[in-house]
Amino acid sequence: MILELDCGNSFIKWRVLGADIRLVVAEGVVDSDLALLESLNGLDELTLQHCRMVSVRTADETAALMSLLAGAFGVSVACAAPAREMSGVRNGYDDYEKLGLDRWLAMLGGFHLAAGACLVLDFGTAVTADFIANDGEHLGGFICPGMPLMRNQLRTHTRRIRYGDVAAERALESLVPGRATVEAVERGCSLMLRGFVLTQLELARNYWGEDFTVFLTGGDADLVAEVAPQARVVPDLVFVGLAMACPLP
């Protein structure tokens, strides 16, 4: 079995692959290292042979998790690292080590699946857009706040905006103008994401006409899928790239 980890700023997304690596036998999202360990220990007949991960956390936090996993399951952990070029994709950052590893792996996965020009849109704590040309050149990208950041900023800096997650989810059942604060905030933030997507699509068309593939990934991808009906929704796009960056021995 193979344990794959995507360690973001807020959550750890994990999945376990079976003997047939095309088969996901278990998966989940947790908010701490200990919660990850608890989830894995709760699995029946877990026998890990390999572990690979991508982390955007600090070096100390990443090392601590790697040590925890090695101690608990007796596996060495392969960790994705920055690269100037990999699998036909050339990192477009002037300082390639500064490009977020989750973005880099999503680009690798997207270019591999598209076999050509693609636009990769990732909707997590932050929202990112990256443009990869037909020859694998990364043309650059954009970063903006995602739904969690926009929502929390309004809650933090506006005293009278207070509501829970259940109310937020209910508010997004429609996008008509809100008649309560929760509706106005949630729908307004959702429309900002949609506007961001439409702008990226327009820019991609300026580059490549209609000859490109759009990928949507990340936890909030469903909020914008309607405005990009031609897009491929690939929730585990980072894991596609992770397998390329950390192949099994």
Side-chain angles (χ1 to χ4, degrees):
M1 291 181 170
I2 305 166
L3 173 63
E4 297 185 324
L5 302 172
D6 177 6
C7 303
N9 293 301
S10 302
F11 298 101
I12 300 173
K13 185 175 182 180
W14 63 270
R15 71 179 189 177
V16 176
L17 307 181
D20 179 350
I21 61 173
R22 295 170 297 179
L23 178 65
V24 178
V25 299
E27 60 186 338
V29 179
V30 293
D31 60 3
S32 70
D33 295 359
L34 292 180
L36 172 64
L37 208 60
E38 183 178 344
S39 296
L40 294 174
N41 284 328
L43 299 177
D44 293 331
E45 301 180 358
L46 179 67
T47 54
L48 295 179
Q49 284 83 38
H50 305 283
C51 177
R52 54 193 175 199
M53 67 184 288
V54 55
S55 175
V56 298
R57 299 180 170 196
T58 67
D60 288 344
E61 290 172 327
T62 301
L65 177 55
M66 294 173 69
S67 178
L68 185 68
L69 292 169
F73 301 106
V75 293
S76 60
V77 183
C79 193
R84 170 63 70 189
E85 184 172 352
M86 182 177 291
S87 300
V89 180
R90 291 183 298 281
N91 193 316
Y93 266 30
D94 294 332
D95 183 350
Y96 73 91
E97 293 183 337
K98 297 297 186 183
L99 177 66
L101 279 171
D102 49 351
R103 286 174 64 192
W104 174 237
L105 296 188
M107 286 192 287
L108 294 182
F111 187 73
H112 171 72
L113 295 177
C118 59
L119 167 62
V120 177
L121 300 168
D122 192 341
F123 298 87
T125 302
V127 172
T128 62
D130 284 289
F131 299 78
I132 304 93
N134 193 58
D135 63 357
E137 185 72 28
H138 174 220
L139 304 180
F142 299 97
I143 304 173
C144 72
M147 281 292 285
L149 287 177
M150 288 192 286
R151 178 188 294 127
N152 290 339
Q153 283 296 303
L154 286 169
R155 285 175 173 174
T156 300
H157 296 287
T158 308
R159 292 185 180 181
R160 300 191 63 162
I161 294 180
R162 296 289 184 273
Y163 56 84
D165 292 339
V166 174
E169 184 176 348
R170 189 181 305 120
L172 287 172
E173 293 174 356
S174 168
L175 286 179
V176 300
R179 297 173 66 88
T181 298
V182 60
E183 294 175 351
V185 169
E186 291 297 314
R187 295 172 189 177
C189 291
S190 179
L191 289 174
M192 288 187 71
L193 289 190
R194 288 172 171 233
F196 178 83
V197 171
L198 292 174
T199 301
Q200 306 314 302
L201 292 174
E202 180 181 357
L203 183 54
R205 292 189 185 102
N206 289 339
Y207 280 135
W208 307 306
E210 297 296 333
D211 189 19
F212 65 96
T213 304
V214 183
F215 291 98
L216 303 181
T217 191
D220 286 327
D222 59 320
L223 295 180
V224 300
E226 186 178 314
V227 297
Q230 77 277 36
R232 295 176 61 178
V233 180
V234 185
D236 294 328
L237 190 59
V238 168
F239 285 140
V240 176
L242 179 60
M244 299 164 67
C246 300
L248 296 178

